[in-house]
């Protein structure tokens, strides 16, 4: 019995001598925790680095113009390709074919509308560089067909803003709870005043061997005071929109509101270009080009919505004293799925310069994924 008790006492002493102290045990726990965190980070970065996302959108339009030619057109086919490079860095791109066929003698174009790297600097600040959509208006950055009413994009944002509009450069975004800010330095317009094409839309260079003698800067503020309410304003400045040909300073101001409360929604936008034409090379009246629209809409059911839109814009810049265009449109969207929509609208366009009225019935199908 004494021998047994002695053996037990010896074993207990050995275990006590081998057991780590509290400090040593805590150190081992800390080392294990650090190893687990490092392993988790490595797994996260590996997963993020291997994730490639593919999406896209498209739209088919039928336009029946009273007294004119009718047309059916695969207006756009677009693919998005993105890749998470790590937990804070990503690549995004947008490849588009317009009007189905592109090439010599064909009606369409092949375009790269986005191709940029974005980096999260912290939770509220990010930066990007490359080819990206300009932060302006309602449609320019979000223009998938299931996100707006009407078969065609509204002519104010098309002709005045002018959507879709992308440039090459760098940008910063600051995000807060209710306020966010964007500032970008990028390639600018190249308006051909010599050829008489004195509109911003025709001045887009699309970052295709674009002249960059004069860059542009864009600043935007967005305010979301409550759920379903978004207010935004953009200012852009370019010292010379002709890239050194005629020395014409250009300034764009744009403001908009998007309100969605229950089944009711409202979109409103105003945009204006001001050009300081020191050499009087623009067409008469082209120094100011502006437009606005109001668009109320109502969701009749979860899948069916109706809308009306009144638009007024002036960028014709002709010799007539009055070159304003007024449009009234109304129609419906029917969503087959959350991102698949059938569209119908009727549009009446009054051209005061030519004193003509054009009525058009439009049908469309659009999707995004």
């Amino acid at each position: 019995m004494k021998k047994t008790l002695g053996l037990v006492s010896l074993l207990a002493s050995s275990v006590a001598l081998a057991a780590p102290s509290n400090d040593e045990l805590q150190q081992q726990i800390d080392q294990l925790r650090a190893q687990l965190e490092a392993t988790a980070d490595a797994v996260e970065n590996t997963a993020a680095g291997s994730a490639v996302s593919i999406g896209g959108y498209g739209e088919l339009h039928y336009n029946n113009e009273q007294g004119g030619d009718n047309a059916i057109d695969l207006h756009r086919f677009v693919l998005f390709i993105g890749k998470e490079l790590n937990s804070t860095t990503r690549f995004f791109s947008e490849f588009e074919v317009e009007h189905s066929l592109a090439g010599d003698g064909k009606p369409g174009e092949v375009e790269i509308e986005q191709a940029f790297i974005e980096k999260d600097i912290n939770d509220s600040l990010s930066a990007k560089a490359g080819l990206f959509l300009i932060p302006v208006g309602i449609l320019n950055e979000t223009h998938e067909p299931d996100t707006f009413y009407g078969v065609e994009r509204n002519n104010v944002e098309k002709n005045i803003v002018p959507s879709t509009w992308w440039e090459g450069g760098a940008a910063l975004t600051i995000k807060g709870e209710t306020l966010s800010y964007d500032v970008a330095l990028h390639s600018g317009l190249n308006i051909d005043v010599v050829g008489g094409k004195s509109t911003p839309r025709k001045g887009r260079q699309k970052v295709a061997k674009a002249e960059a003698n004069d860059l542009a800067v864009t600043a935007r503020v967005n305010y979301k005071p409550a759920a379903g309410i978004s207010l935004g304003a953009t200012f852009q400045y370019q010292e010379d929109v002709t890239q050194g040909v005629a020395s014409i300073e250009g300034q764009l101001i744009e403001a908009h509101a998007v309100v969605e409360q229950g089944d009711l929604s409202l979109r409103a936008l105003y945009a204006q270009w001001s050009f300081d034409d020191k050499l009087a090379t623009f067409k008469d009246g082209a120094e100011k080009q502006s437009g606005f629209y109001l668009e109320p809409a109502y969701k009749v059911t979860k899948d069916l919505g109706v809308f009306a839109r009144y638009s007024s814009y002036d960028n014709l810049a002709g010799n007539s004293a009055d070159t304003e265009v007024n449009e009234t449109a109304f129609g419906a969207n029917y969503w087959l799925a959350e991102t698949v929509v059938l569209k119908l609208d009727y549009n009446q366009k009054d051209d005061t310069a030519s004193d003509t009225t054009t009525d058009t019935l439009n049908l469309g199908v659009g999707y995004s994924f």
Side-chain angles (χ1 to χ4, degrees):
M1 182 68 176
K2 290 182 180 179
K3 290 181 179 180
T4 302
L5 291 173
L7 181 59
V8 170
S9 176
L10 179 61
L11 288 171
S13 300
S14 300
V15 169
L17 290 173
S21 66
N22 289 338
D23 290 343
E24 291 173 335
L25 185 60
Q26 184 61 48
Q27 184 177 7
Q28 292 175 8
I29 291 173
D30 291 341
Q31 289 175 348
L32 286 172
R33 182 181 291 113
Q35 291 174 0
L36 286 172
E37 289 176 352
T39 301
D41 289 342
V43 170
E44 179 182 356
N45 288 335
T46 300
S50 61
V52 175
S53 57
I54 298 177
Y57 71 89
E59 46 193 332
L60 178 74
H61 297 165
Y62 169 72
N63 309 111
N64 185 322
E65 183 179 309
Q66 184 179 358
D69 293 330
N70 304 327
I72 187 166
D73 181 32
L74 182 64
H75 203 143
R76 297 175 181 90
F77 177 81
V78 181
L79 289 177
F80 302 134
I81 300 176
K83 182 175 176 62
E84 293 288 335
L85 303 174
N86 58 35
S87 60
T88 61
T89 309
R90 64 198 63 89
F91 167 76
F92 188 79
S93 66
E94 180 177 346
F95 174 83
E96 177 170 340
V97 179
E98 289 196 348
H99 311 301
S100 186
L101 291 175
D104 291 341
K106 305 300 181 183
E109 295 179 310
V110 176
E111 299 173 332
I112 305 296
E113 290 196 2
Q114 298 187 76
F116 64 86
I117 296 292
E118 186 174 50
K119 173 74 175 179
D120 295 330
I121 298 172
N122 55 43
D123 291 341
S124 60
L125 178 63
S126 63
K128 61 184 174 185
L131 187 155
F132 52 84
L133 296 168
I134 298 300
V136 59
I138 300 172
L139 285 178
N140 200 55
E141 290 183 299
T142 306
H143 46 253
E144 290 79 6
D146 53 285
T147 64
F148 64 90
Y149 283 96
V151 174
E152 304 287 351
R153 298 171 184 175
N154 74 83
N155 277 320
V156 175
E157 293 196 75
K158 176 182 176 181
N159 293 309
I160 305 298
V161 167
S163 296
T164 307
W165 182 14
W166 62 90
E167 299 287 355
L172 288 174
T173 298
I174 303 172
K175 293 182 179 179
E177 292 185 4
T178 59
L179 282 170
S180 64
Y181 307 90
D182 297 276
V183 60
L185 179 66
H186 53 80
S187 54
L189 300 175
N190 185 9
I191 296 179
D192 180 15
V193 293
V194 176
K197 300 176 181 179
S198 49
T199 64
R201 185 169 187 80
K202 293 178 179 177
R204 298 173 304 164
Q205 302 188 80
K206 301 188 176 183
V207 200
K209 294 187 176 180
E211 292 191 34
N213 299 313
D214 284 277
L215 300 178
V217 60
T218 299
R220 178 180 67 180
V221 59
N222 273 332
Y223 178 50
K224 296 183 178 180
I229 301 176
S230 178
L231 310 174
T234 296
F235 174 78
Q236 184 181 117
Y237 174 79
Q238 186 175 339
E239 185 176 1
D240 185 4
V241 296
T242 69
Q243 297 294 333
V245 174
S247 185
I248 299 176
E249 184 179 274
Q251 298 181 31
L252 168 67
I253 57 170
E254 177 273 330
H256 65 265
V258 178
V259 180
E260 297 176 344
Q261 298 295 308
D263 294 327
L264 288 170
S265 64
L266 174 69
R267 289 187 174 194
L269 179 141
Y270 174 81
Q272 174 183 293
W273 280 97
S274 298
F275 298 106
D276 185 4
D277 188 5
K278 302 178 180 66
L279 302 178
T281 51
F282 263 19
K283 285 185 177 180
D284 292 342
E287 294 86 357
K288 297 286 185 183
Q289 302 183 30
S290 63
F292 75 92
Y293 74 87
L294 297 172
E295 182 188 283
Y298 178 71
K299 269 296 194 66
V300 180
T301 68
K302 179 177 67 73
D303 300 322
L304 176 64
V306 295
F307 82 100
R309 183 194 306 127
Y310 178 77
S311 307
S312 181
Y313 59 97
D314 185 351
N315 74 324
L316 298 182
N319 295 321
S320 171
D322 191 354
T323 56
E324 191 173 73
V325 176
N326 300 311
E327 293 184 8
T328 303
F330 58 89
N333 282 15
Y334 182 76
W335 283 268
L336 301 177
E338 186 176 357
T339 61
V340 181
V341 63
L342 302 177
K343 298 184 177 186
L344 177 150
D345 68 63
Y346 185 82
N347 187 84
Q348 185 175 81
K349 177 180 177 181
D350 295 319
D351 189 335
T352 56
S354 60
D355 193 24
T356 59
T357 298
T358 304
D359 296 319
T360 305
L361 175 67
N362 302 301
L363 300 173
V365 57
Y367 62 87
S368 69
F369 60 90

